[in-house]
Amino acid sequence: MHSESAIAVSLGYQSGIAIPLLVDKQCVGVLVLYTAAAKFFTNDELQLMNELGRDLSFALNFIEKEQRARYLTFYDPVTGLTNRSRFLEQVGRYIRDRTNAEKLAVLLLDLDRFKQVNDSLGRKAGDVLLRQVAERIQNSVAEGQDAA
């Protein structure tokens, strides 16, 4: 199998540059540019390309953080279930929009001695328990219904 650079050479490209795209010091992609001109990328071009890579990395980081913030606006980061404000909004909408023939049930759970789990086994263990409970709730809810 040919590498990308071997393919580029076979297509007539003589210069290339690969610019890593980093988000939180992790490489999430690479911007690769080729040109048919030999020795095209001078130090000035390399500096500009590196700046472009940093700008793209910054934009990707911003987009990722914005998406995460939007997610956390409506969902619990541990369980993935809707959070309190989203839950209340959904219940209010269901109550407002339902017809007299439609029924609505709301089930609220309180995990007994959950604080003891967190205190004795640590928060990570408590988070694992919450995820397991959330998964069981989601698996037990009929398709087309919400497990908020």
Side-chain angles (χ1 to χ4, degrees), residues 21-23 52-64:
L21 303 176
L22 305 173
V23 174
L52 173 64
R54 286 190 299 274
D55 290 346
L56 289 172
S57 296
F58 177 81
L60 290 171
N61 191 21
F62 177 79
I63 290 167
E64 182 180 299

Side-chain angles (χ1 to χ4, degrees), residues 43-60:
N43 284 337
D44 288 341
E45 274 99 15
L46 291 174
Q47 189 174 356
L48 284 172
M49 293 297 116
N50 283 325
E51 190 174 315
L52 173 64
R54 286 190 299 274
D55 290 346
L56 289 172
S57 296
F58 177 81
L60 290 171

Side-chain angles (χ1 to χ4, degrees), residues 90-96 98 101-106 145:
Q90 287 177 324
V91 169
R93 185 171 16 97
Y94 289 142
I95 290 171
R96 191 176 52 252
R98 72 181 179 93
E102 293 176 315
K103 295 182 180 178
L104 171 68
V106 176
Q145 302 297 311

Side-chain angles (χ1 to χ4, degrees), residues 12-77:
Y13 296 112
Q14 296 186 31
S15 295
I17 183 172
I19 305 158
L21 303 176
L22 305 173
V23 174
D24 292 330
K25 298 181 182 177
Q26 297 259 338
C27 185
V28 297
V30 179
L31 175 63
V32 180
L33 303 170
Y34 292 106
T35 180
K39 299 181 182 176
F40 178 80
F41 297 104
T42 65
N43 284 337
D44 288 341
E45 274 99 15
L46 291 174
Q47 189 174 356
L48 284 172
M49 293 297 116
N50 283 325
E51 190 174 315
L52 173 64
R54 286 190 299 274
D55 290 346
L56 289 172
S57 296
F58 177 81
L60 290 171
N61 191 21
F62 177 79
I63 290 167
E64 182 180 299
K65 285 185 176 17
E66 183 181 34
Q67 288 173 338
R68 180 73 177 156
R70 194 175 310 127
Y71 175 82
L72 293 175
T73 301
F74 299 112
Y75 295 94
D76 179 78

Side-chain angles (χ1 to χ4, degrees), residues 78 111 114 117-118 121-131:
V78 174
L111 299 178
F114 179 71
V117 171
N118 269 349
L121 300 176
R123 186 176 179 139
K124 285 186 180 183
D127 288 353
V128 168
L129 176 61
L130 287 175
R131 281 191 287 276

